Amino acid sequence: ISMARMTQRDRVIQYIKDFGSITRAEAFNELGIVELAARICELERMGYKFEKKTVYRENRYGEMIHFTKYTLKKDAN
């Protein structure tokens, strides 16, 4: 399947398989996907299982921010 014909769900799964995990920023910057959480919910309804880890980082202004990092569970598709 060429990247042009892949659905956003397909792209999310392929990205995780290629890079190990995905965040909202990566989904937007690398895949053009704005609503990553919606795609994750759809994939879960399709049977995929994800580990969801909250990551805390300091932003450029010294403020603590947090975001979710998704990985496929080992027993997942």
Side-chain angles (χ1 to χ4, degrees):
I1 298 177
S2 75
M3 282 300 264
R5 294 187 179 208
M6 293 176 81
T7 66
Q8 288 188 352
R9 292 185 300 264
D10 293 334
R11 290 177 188 172
V12 167
I13 293 300
Q14 190 60 54
Y15 190 91
I16 294 172
K17 287 180 178 179
D18 290 346
F19 299 100
S21 65
I22 193 166
T23 65
R24 183 176 168 197
E26 292 165 340
F28 179 74
N29 292 331
E30 302 295 325
L31 306 175
I33 296 172
V34 176
E35 296 290 338
L36 176 61
R39 302 298 80 80
I40 294 293
C41 285
E42 292 166 358
L43 287 162
E44 287 177 326
R45 284 196 299 268
M46 294 170 65
Y48 286 91
K49 296 188 182 351
F50 295 90
E51 302 248 352
K52 299 170 187 175
K53 178 181 178 189
T54 301
V55 179
Y56 295 88
R57 295 252 166 83
E58 195 172 291
N59 69 13
R60 70 175 82 187
Y61 305 106
E63 303 162 331
M64 287 304 292
I65 61 166
H66 68 279
F67 54 91
T68 303
K69 183 180 198 176
Y70 300 93
T71 56
L72 279 172
K73 286 191 175 180
K74 299 294 182 226
D75 61 347
N77 303 344

